[in-house]
Amino acid sequence: MADFLLELLSEEIPARMQARARADLARLFTERLAEAGLKAERIETFSTPRRLALIAHGLPLATESVSEERRGPRADAPAQAVEGFLRSTGLGRDQLEEREDAKGRFLYVVIEKPGQATAAVLADAVPAIVRDFPWPKSMRWGSGTARWVRPLQGIVALLDGELVECEAAGVQAGYATAGHRFLHHGPITIGGADDYAVKLRAGHVIVDHEERAAIIRDSAATLATGAGLAVVPDEGLVEENAGLTEWPVPLLGRFDPAFLAVPREVIQLTMRVNQKYFALSDAATGKLAPNFICVANLAASDGGQAIVAGNERVLSARLSDAKFFWEQDLKAPLDSYLPKLESMLFYEGMGSLREKTDRIAALSAHICRAYFPERDPATAERAALLAKADLATGMVGEFPELQGVMGGYYAEAAGEKPGTVSAISQQYQPAAEGCIPACVALADRIDTLVAFFSRGIKPTGSKGPFALRRAALYTIPTLLANGTRLSLRA
C-alpha cells in the first residue's frame, strides 16, 4: 500500500473558501478513484492561503482486474438490436455466448478489464480535478482557458515518493513547492507524503489548518491572560485568521480608551470586519477593554512591535470614523430619520421602507390589542414606527450588520420608553422576548411574508430569496418565548 500526496500551489486563496475547498478536493478525488475501482484507507486535506493539499493513505499500487458479465438481447433478436449491443461492448459477434434461462435464450458477453497502475489513474485524475473544481468564484489568467480560484503556480503529485507525471492548467507536476512568502526563499523539494508537513514547517509553513487555528486560539488566550484580559469568543474569526496566515503569530495591541464611548458592538464589528482583530474584555468586569489581538503572518525580528504599531494606527483611523458616525447620528432624534425612509425602496411594487414601516406599525398595534391586552398598543405602534429608522443613519449605512442594534441605542438616547428600545434592539433576533418586542418582530415578519408570497415570490429547494424561510421560522420561537397563541390567518 502507498500514500499519495497532491498539492495545488496558487496565489492567495480567500479564507472564506478554504473549508469548502478542502471538502470538495476530498470528494472529487474519492469519486475519481472510485470510477477506477480504487479506494484510499484514509484521506487528509489541508489548506493555507497559498495551497490546497491532500494526502491519500493506503492506496494499492494497481487496480484489480475485473470480470464483468452483461446480458444482451434475445438470441433471435433482429440484427439491428444485436449490432447495437456489440457497439456498446466493443466486441465482435464471435465473442458472444448464447445461454438459456427461464425467460428464453439470450446473448451474453464477459468483459475482462485488466488491472491498471494507480499512477496512471492518478495522472488522469489530477487534471480532471483541477478542471472540474467548483470554486464559488474562479478566474482565467494569461492566454490560457483554464480556471482556478487564483493563478495556479505549481503541482506536487507523488505516489509512494515517485512523481505522477501529469499536467493541469498548463502546469507540470513536479517535486518542488514554495515555503513562506517572506520567511523562506527558494523552492522546497518534497520527497513524499511522509516529509511534506515537516519540510514545509522548516520553510515556515504550517500546512494543517487545525493546528494554525489552535495556535491562534491558545496564543491569543495566553496574551490576554497575561494582561488581565479575556478574548471575546469568536470561533469564526479564529478560522478566518487561520485561513489568512501560514505562520500565525498573535500580537497584543491597544487603542485610545476614549473610543470606548462608542457602543461596544460598533467597536467589535469594526475590529472584526475591517481588520480581523479579536476584541478583548476586562477579565474582572467583563467590560470591553481598549485592547485587541491581531494575527501576523510572520515572527518579526523586533518581536512584532512595528506590526502592532501599524495596526494600532489603522484601527485608530477606523474607530475615528465610527466615532464620527455615532456622534453625527446622535445630533438628531431617531424619529427625524423617518422621512428618509420614503426614498428607500423596500421592493419593486411593495412600496418604500416608510410605507412598510406604516404597515408594521398598524399591525403591531393590532397584535398588541388582540393578544396582549394588558400592554399599551400605542407603545407597540411607536416601537414599530421607529424600528427601521436607523437604516437611514450614517452608522448603519457604514455597518449594515448593526441595524436594529444602533436603533436601540439611538432610541434610548432620544428618551424613548424601555419597551420601545427593547423592541427595536430585538427585532432581528430569532426569539424576541417581551410583549412589545414580540408585537414588532411578528408584525415585521408577517408583513414581509404576506408581501412576497402574495406576489408569488417564494423559497424553493435551492434558493431562499429575502430570507423568507427564516422569517417564517423565527415566528415560532418568538411565539414560544412569550407563551403566545395567535391566528396567523387572521
Side-chain angles (χ1 to χ4, degrees):
M1 305 298 274
D3 293 341
F4 173 65
L5 166 68
L6 173 64
E7 183 201 70
L8 301 168
L9 182 73
S10 69
E11 294 183 15
E12 271 66 15
I13 304 171
R16 68 182 183 278
M17 297 184 186
Q18 292 175 26
R20 175 177 164 183
R22 294 191 299 268
D24 285 334
L25 179 60
R27 175 181 58 81
L28 290 172
F29 182 81
T30 301
E31 290 173 354
R32 286 290 170 180
L33 262 62
E35 291 173 3
L38 287 170
K39 182 179 180 180
E41 292 178 354
R42 180 168 57 93
I43 291 178
E44 294 180 283
T45 55
F46 310 98
S47 63
T48 79
R50 301 179 66 200
R51 70 201 78 226
L52 187 60
L54 172 147
I55 296 178
H57 298 274
L59 282 175
L61 290 175
T63 64
E64 294 182 0
S65 58
V66 177
S67 180
E68 177 187 354
E69 183 177 277
R70 292 175 57 184
R71 190 180 83 167
R74 290 178 177 274
D76 58 354
Q80 188 175 6
V82 176
E83 289 172 4
F85 179 60
L86 290 173
R87 282 196 301 272
S88 70
T89 62
L91 301 176
R93 180 67 177 80
D94 58 341
Q95 293 172 285
L96 300 182
E97 301 177 13
E98 292 187 17
R99 298 183 195 172
E100 188 86 32
D101 61 24
K103 294 184 178 180
R105 195 167 185 80
F106 288 84
L107 296 175
Y108 282 82
V109 64
V110 177
I111 303 173
E112 300 289 344
K113 293 183 179 180
Q116 184 180 11
T118 299
V121 174
L122 295 170
D124 292 334
V126 172
I129 289 171
V130 172
R131 182 186 66 243
D132 299 337
F133 208 88
W135 292 108
K137 290 185 178 181
S138 58
M139 62 178 290
R140 289 183 288 107
W141 60 96
S143 58
T145 59
R147 303 186 72 90
W148 195 243
V149 61
R150 297 289 185 271
L152 195 63
Q153 297 176 332
I155 299 174
V156 175
L158 304 175
L159 178 64
D160 208 19
E162 297 295 324
L163 179 65
V164 175
E165 295 188 6
C166 57
E167 178 185 330
V171 179
Q172 288 281 350
Y175 290 92
T177 186
H180 192 283
R181 187 181 293 277
F182 305 115
L183 299 178
H184 186 274
H185 303 287
I188 297 175
T189 301
I190 304 299
D194 291 342
D195 69 356
Y196 175 64
V198 175
K199 286 191 172 179
L200 277 176
R201 186 182 296 273
H204 288 88
V205 174
I206 299 172
V207 295
D208 188 347
H209 52 279
E210 293 183 356
E211 183 181 352
R212 296 197 307 276
I215 289 172
I216 293 169
R217 196 181 297 112
D218 297 342
S219 297
T222 300
L223 284 171
T225 302
L229 305 171
V231 179
V232 176
D234 193 334
E235 193 58 29
L237 195 54
V238 171
E239 293 295 327
E240 186 169 11
N241 274 285
L244 292 170
T245 56
E246 292 191 319
W247 195 258
V249 179
L251 300 168
L252 178 65
R254 62 178 286 106
F255 58 85
D256 188 341
F259 288 123
L260 293 176
V262 178
R264 175 176 182 150
E265 293 89 346
V266 175
I267 297 174
Q268 288 185 214
L269 189 67
T270 299
M271 291 197 290
R272 189 190 199 285
V273 174
N274 296 128
Q275 304 305 131
K276 318 306 177 190
Y277 298 162
F278 292 91
L280 300 172
S281 61
D282 186 287
T285 66
K287 293 182 178 180
L288 193 66
N291 299 86
F292 66 92
I293 287 178
C294 61
V295 182
N297 191 29
L298 52 81
S301 58
D302 65 351
Q305 293 181 19
I307 295 174
V308 170
N311 280 279
E312 287 176 344
R313 287 194 297 271
V314 172
L315 181 58
S316 179
R318 293 285 190 183
L319 292 179
S320 293
D321 290 342
K323 188 169 182 287
F324 171 79
F325 288 125
W326 167 248
E327 292 172 346
Q328 289 297 114
D329 289 344
L330 284 176
K331 289 181 178 179
L334 188 58
D335 56 7
S336 69
Y337 292 97
L338 287 174
K340 294 183 179 181
L341 298 181
E342 295 172 3
S343 60
M344 300 172 70
L345 185 67
F346 170 50
Y347 187 77
E348 188 67 38
M350 299 185 199
S352 66
L353 276 174
R354 177 57 199 265
E355 290 173 302
K356 177 178 174 61
T357 293
D358 291 339
R359 291 199 303 272
I360 65 174
L363 184 54
S364 182
H366 167 73
I367 292 173
C368 186
R369 280 192 294 269
Y371 302 103
F372 301 99
E374 73 281 3
R375 299 307 299 269
D376 179 16
T379 303
E381 184 174 17
R382 176 69 176 175
L385 185 67
L386 297 176
K388 308 300 178 186
D390 67 351
L391 294 175
T393 63
M395 184 71 82
V396 175
E398 182 72 10
F399 300 108
E401 301 91 336
L402 291 176
Q403 56 187 281
V405 173
M406 296 313 302
Y409 279 110
Y410 296 144
E412 185 177 30
E416 297 290 340
K417 294 180 179 179
T420 299
V421 174
S422 180
I424 296 172
S425 300
Q426 293 190 58
Q427 62 181 298
Y428 300 108
Q429 294 180 9
E433 296 188 17
C435 299
I436 301 301
C439 291
V440 174
L442 290 170
D444 184 16
R445 289 160 187 162
I446 291 169
D447 176 82
T448 296
L449 288 166
V450 170
F452 281 99
F453 270 72
S454 67
R455 287 160 176 77
I457 304 173
K458 306 175 183 179
T460 65
S462 59
K463 294 182 180 179
F466 310 102
L468 299 182
R469 188 179 284 106
R470 186 190 311 161
L473 290 173
Y474 280 6
T475 62
I476 298 169
T478 296
L479 292 172
L480 293 175
N482 295 279
T484 308
R485 296 181 65 86
L486 56 78
S487 168
L488 288 172
R489 184 176 300 278

